[in-house]
Amino acid sequence: MEEVTKVTGTTPPPLLERRVRQRQPTVSVIKSKLKQSVRCSVPRVRSTLTGFFPVVRWLPKYRLREYVWGDVMSGVIVGIILVPQAIAYCLLAGVEPIYGLYTSFYANIIYFIMGTSRHVSVGIFSLMSLMVGQVVDKEMFLAGFDLSEDSLASGPNVLNGSLGINLTAGKLQSVELMGMQCGKECYAIGIAAALTFLAGIYQVMMAVFQLGFVSVYLSASMLDGFATGASFTILTVQAKYLLGLKIPRHQGYGTVVITWINIFANIPNTNLCDFITSAICISVLLAGKEIQERYKDRLKIPLPTELIVVAGATLASHFGELNSNYGSSVSGHIPTGFIPPQVPNFSLMSRVALDAIPLAVISFAFTVSLSEMFAKKNGYTVRPNQEMLAIGFCNIIPSFFHCFTTSAALAKTMVKDSTGCQTQVSSLISALVVLLVLLFFAPFFHALQKCVLACIIIVSLRGALRKFMDIPAKWRASQSDAIVWLVTMSTTVLISVELGLLVGIVFSMICIIFKTQNPKVSLLGRVNDTDLYEDVEEYKNLIPPPGVHVFRFQAPLYYANKESFLKSLYKAVGVEPFLEMTKRTKAEKKAKEMAMQQAKANRDNTNGEVVVGLVQRELDFHTIVFDCSAIPFIDSTGMATFKGLVKDYKEIGVSVVLASCNTSLIDALQKGQFFGKNDKDMSSMLFHTVHTAVLHAKSMPSATKSKSEDSVV
């Protein structure tokens, strides 16, 4: 492990010397951690409580004059945006509009108390609403409820391939739930509340057991493809409202395909009133979005386009009596006030326990990623574990108040950031705006058409659907990421949202494994008279060291890529030890036979010179240097591979040395006794740099010979 110097009879001191680290026994470490965790003191209790409720830390330091205007402005604007979205996303969740308002109200208050991000807006999110709605519809269908709009299907042209029965035949009006008769609306929110409670429990458990690392397996390309695929699914689910078609949501796989088949089959039943209203609303919403984007530098606040559309459409529907005159579907009565809290139904939880897992993972993944993104942008830090606790309790507590699953929402978070938000006081203001609607204005939305709500949802997906245009750029940037995006998006659209998430995670992991199984390998050459060595195929004017092959393997060496490592090495150096030994054995055997024949012919038993000439085998190198700088770790299989290479190449007169190993790799090699007993061969087999290893190889006795010779028979 030291620089090669001229032999002077004394061993030079090592250039680098490892620190001696004494590890404490595992039992004592566990005892000390347990002792520290159960220790109780006033400062510790205070720190725990303030850590669990961050609002206690920052609210007393609130700078009223500096922060209040931005927080009030952003809170009011987000609240105005939130109200129509809360009502609209209930279409996705399969519950009544009032529950969307409840969800937005409670989630904002709880995150205000427990969140560590200053800018994140937590509440209803289209993707969460879609996933909740799919579970709600599935369980209601299994319970026997009629899922058709207004209890009427659009006629015989309704396809439900997953179950193959007529959905309009269901006559179930209520089921018994917790000792009470529960109708369609009651059962739907009961399922949503049970699902939300379980998702929150999972998130809190993940926070308690420090399982936030799960989010690292959700790559950006996978999440992007999943969100885009889910957005297209949302568009598909909402398309029927644009045309006023009463088609029940398909149960099972292939929702998008079956829904579009049903839509095209029922186009003759289109409600012209809903269609015209949808065209007008989408035009106004898109125009508002374009104006907002084009003049965002001049506009101090976002245009409340959704609120304007909702107000105008509600007035038009009320005074035009569109429901009674043209059969247009409307939101219906939205009560004021609050419903008494109720414990989520535990009998339903066993049925939705698995469905809650993807909800919990996606919810916390979006929340933590958005929190960290906006914290980095605005120069502060967040605590991911506390964020998981916060979003968990944003689901657990509201589930007692008839709410469904929540998450951080990108669009509303960006609005908060752009309108001067400074702290989570803005969330409290947004909750007050929703509270005003709950207490006073909710009944005024009675005549609001469902097609208007669908328009709001579809236009809000515009950013996600634009990602389809980015596919060429993704492909140019990284083909593997583009493939992960396409596979995840396609699975989400063509099969189901849940399977899309699972397939996306598994496929992205497979891509990583594939990369490690087929990494880039290269032979290195020296840059002129420097100590730098690089890939001879990538750079010009590099000189390979004579008699030495410097081999670089750019991946961990473990059981899955051992064969790939060996094949690439043999191909690069041009010599496979086993085949070389086989050739030499055959040559030796043939030489012996020829020697015996010649001895008989000449009656001479000393033919060594002839045998040497026949057995002689030339190699253009005498040493292989492994550049281990790109090998982060090895396992026991990788260790055995290294040992086998040293042994096999030694038999044909080739030395193997290692260079540029990281400390964890060195420790693994020492534990596996790669350098012999007590690391006796470490100084001759391990070097800090490639150049040092090459110099050592040139100074070895075998380097003085230009060819490797087999033993003389």
Side-chain angles (χ1 to χ4, degrees):
M1 297 176 62
E2 51 274 336
E3 284 283 359
V4 176
T5 59
K6 293 183 179 180
V7 179
T8 61
T10 60
T11 303
L15 287 176
L16 292 176
E17 188 173 355
R18 290 287 297 275
R19 293 181 183 273
V20 178
R21 300 184 183 274
Q22 295 182 352
R23 293 185 178 181
Q24 296 181 354
T26 306
V27 176
S28 62
V29 172
I30 294 174
K31 285 183 178 179
S32 63
K33 287 186 176 181
L34 286 175
K35 186 178 180 181
Q36 186 178 2
S37 62
V38 299
R39 185 182 300 166
C40 185
S41 63
V42 174
R44 184 177 177 84
V45 172
R46 185 185 300 114
S47 175
T48 302
L49 290 176
T50 55
F52 194 71
F53 300 108
V55 67
V56 179
R57 289 184 179 179
W58 62 262
L59 191 58
K61 302 176 184 178
Y62 189 79
R63 302 175 187 175
L64 187 63
R65 294 184 178 179
E66 185 177 348
Y67 293 163
V68 68
W69 173 248
D71 284 341
V72 170
M73 177 65 69
S74 64
V76 170
I77 292 171
V78 170
I80 291 172
I81 296 173
L82 197 58
V83 170
Q85 286 190 354
I87 297 173
Y89 288 164
C90 288
L91 286 179
L92 287 173
V95 296
E96 295 298 314
I98 188 66
Y99 302 120
L101 296 172
Y102 289 160
T103 302
S104 300
F105 174 74
Y106 288 111
N108 275 284
I109 292 178
I110 295 169
Y111 192 81
F112 162 76
I113 297 171
M114 300 187 66
T116 59
S117 173
R118 303 175 191 173
H119 296 84
V120 161
S121 175
V122 173
I124 55 174
F125 183 40
S126 59
L127 180 55
M128 294 294 102
S129 301
L130 172 68
M131 297 175 74
V132 169
Q134 289 183 332
V135 178
V136 168
D137 283 356
K138 179 187 70 174
E139 293 300 324
M140 290 185 66
F141 187 88
L142 294 176
F145 284 102
D146 184 5
L147 297 184
S148 57
E149 285 291 318
D150 302 329
S151 300
L152 293 172
S154 295
N157 297 325
V158 176
L159 176 64
N160 193 311
S162 62
L163 293 165
I165 63 175
N166 187 357
L167 296 178
T168 61
K171 298 180 180 179
L172 186 66
Q173 299 298 321
S174 65
V175 295
E176 186 175 343
L177 201 63
M178 299 181 69
M180 300 174 59
Q181 287 299 314
C182 192
K184 186 176 179 180
E185 174 188 343
C186 169
Y187 194 69
I189 193 58
I191 295 167
L195 183 69
T196 300
F197 178 81
L198 279 178
I201 292 293
Y202 291 156
Q203 289 166 337
V204 171
M205 289 174 62
M206 292 171 71
V208 170
F209 292 105
Q210 305 287 320
L211 297 178
F213 69 88
V214 174
S215 63
V216 304
Y217 297 106
L218 307 177
S219 65
S221 57
M222 189 278 294
L223 281 176
D224 205 8
F226 176 70
T228 305
S231 298
F232 190 78
T233 305
I234 293 170
L235 169 65
T236 301
V237 171
Q238 297 301 300
K240 63 181 181 181
Y241 294 106
L242 302 183
L243 303 175
L245 300 176
K246 295 177 173 62
I247 302 172
R249 188 181 295 184
H250 170 72
Q251 301 303 310
Y253 301 134
T255 297
V256 171
V257 176
I258 299 298
T259 301
W260 282 112
I261 292 174
N262 287 335
I263 288 173
F264 284 112
N266 287 275
I267 281 182
N269 301 322
T270 298
N271 186 304
L272 289 178
C273 177
D274 285 344
F275 178 72
I276 294 171
T277 303
S278 300
I280 295 172
C281 291
I282 288 178
S283 300
V284 173
L285 288 168
L286 287 176
K289 296 292 183 183
E290 290 296 327
I291 293 172
Q292 178 68 43
E293 287 187 4
R294 184 169 297 184
Y295 300 103
K296 59 183 178 181
D297 296 333
R298 301 181 185 179
L299 296 172
K300 295 183 178 180
I301 61 173
L303 296 175
T305 316
E306 290 90 348
L307 187 63
I308 294 172
V309 168
V310 166
T314 303
L315 292 174
S317 176
H318 175 71
F319 290 107
E321 298 181 352
L322 301 183
N323 176 246
S324 57
N325 292 337
Y326 302 101
S328 180
S329 297
V330 296
S331 299
H333 176 63
I334 304 177
T336 56
F338 291 89
I339 302 174
Q342 186 178 9
V343 178
N345 191 287
F346 289 97
S347 63
L348 294 174
M349 291 184 188
S350 60
R351 303 172 62 172
V352 297
L354 290 178
D355 297 310
I357 295 175
L359 274 167
V361 173
I362 291 298
S363 175
F364 99 79
F366 274 104
T367 302
V368 171
S369 61
L370 281 178
S371 299
E372 291 180 339
M373 181 174 70
F374 281 89
K376 183 178 180 181
K377 178 182 177 182
N378 291 279
Y380 63 93
T381 58
V382 295
R383 290 182 287 137
N385 214 54
Q386 179 61 27
E387 287 296 301
M388 280 196 292
L389 281 174
I391 196 63
F393 281 100
C394 281
N395 287 319
I396 292 175
I397 297 175
S399 67
F400 289 82
F401 296 90
H402 315 282
C403 302
F404 53 91
T405 314
T406 58
S407 169
L410 176 61
K412 292 187 283 292
T413 301
M414 293 181 66
V415 170
K416 288 180 71 171
D417 184 50
S418 64
T419 51
C421 172
Q422 299 293 332
T423 67
Q424 280 298 327
V425 169
S426 61
S427 294
L428 195 61
I429 301 298
S430 299
L432 292 176
V433 173
V434 177
L435 180 62
L436 288 175
V437 175
L438 279 169
L439 295 178
F440 302 107
F441 302 113
F444 293 106
F445 295 104
H446 172 273
L448 180 60
Q449 294 167 269
K450 289 184 178 180
C451 64
V452 177
L453 301 177
C455 292
I456 294 173
I457 294 173
I458 290 173
V459 173
S460 70
L461 303 174
R462 187 181 56 147
L465 296 175
R466 278 179 173 175
K467 296 293 179 68
F468 284 103
M469 301 172 63
D470 298 336
I471 295 177
K474 289 179 183 291
W475 184 265
R476 288 191 296 269
S478 173
Q479 292 185 5
S480 61
D481 285 348
I483 293 172
V484 169
W485 189 93
L486 287 169
V487 169
T488 307
M489 186 275 300
S490 302
T491 309
T492 304
V493 170
L494 299 177
I495 303 178
S496 71
V497 174
E498 293 80 5
L499 271 181
L501 176 63
L502 179 62
V503 169
I505 294 174
V506 172
F507 187 77
S508 58
M509 289 183 177
I510 290 174
C511 288
I512 296 298
I513 294 172
F514 180 78
K515 285 182 179 180
T516 61
Q517 284 186 307
N518 298 276
K520 180 175 176 57
V521 297
S522 53
L523 288 177
L524 307 186
R526 187 179 180 187
V527 182
N528 297 326
D529 295 329
T530 67
D531 297 346
L532 180 63
Y533 289 77
E534 267 303 338
D535 189 350
V536 294
E537 293 183 355
E538 298 292 339
Y539 296 93
K540 299 178 180 179
N541 304 321
L542 297 184
I543 305 172
V548 180
H549 282 315
V550 183
F551 181 77
R552 178 185 289 168
F553 185 75
Q554 301 182 31
L557 180 56
Y558 66 115
Y559 67 94
N561 64 2
K562 179 196 73 171
E563 294 299 328
S564 173
F565 171 78
L566 292 174
K567 287 180 181 179
S568 59
L569 172 65
Y570 297 152
K571 182 178 180 181
V573 302
V575 175
E576 185 173 346
F578 177 76
L579 295 179
E580 180 65 21
M581 285 301 299
T582 303
K583 291 178 181 178
R584 292 188 180 188
T585 302
K586 290 181 178 179
E588 182 179 344
K589 184 178 179 181
K590 185 176 181 181
K592 286 182 179 180
E593 293 175 354
M594 293 180 65
M596 292 178 64
Q597 292 175 3
Q598 188 173 357
K600 289 179 180 179
N602 300 333
R603 297 179 180 275
D604 187 359
N605 293 325
T606 56
N607 293 285
E609 292 182 1
V610 177
V611 175
V612 170
L614 290 169
V615 178
Q616 189 170 289
R617 164 75 175 172
E618 292 186 2
L619 291 177
D620 61 353
F621 66 99
H622 54 78
T623 305
I624 297 176
V625 177
F626 285 111
D627 178 9
C628 301
S629 59
I631 301 179
F633 68 89
I634 61 172
D635 65 353
S636 58
T637 304
M639 178 74 66
T641 303
F642 268 155
K643 287 182 177 179
L645 285 173
V646 172
K647 179 184 176 182
D648 294 343
Y649 275 108
K650 186 177 181 180
E651 291 179 353
I652 61 172
V654 176
S655 301
V656 174
V657 297
L658 309 182
S660 303
C661 297
N662 60 56
T663 54
S664 61
L665 187 58
I666 295 173
D667 292 339
L669 293 170
Q670 287 179 306
K671 290 177 182 177
Q673 295 187 343
F674 175 76
F675 305 112
K677 190 175 182 180
N678 298 324
D679 300 328
K680 61 183 179 64
D681 298 325
M682 190 170 182
S683 60
S684 61
M685 296 182 67
L686 180 66
F687 301 89
H688 294 302
T689 65
V690 171
H691 187 60
T692 309
V694 171
L695 291 178
H696 172 80
K698 290 181 178 179
S699 69
M700 291 168 56
S702 60
T704 61
K705 301 179 181 180
S706 60
K707 56 188 177 181
S708 174
E709 297 181 354
D710 207 358
S711 59
V712 177
V713 179

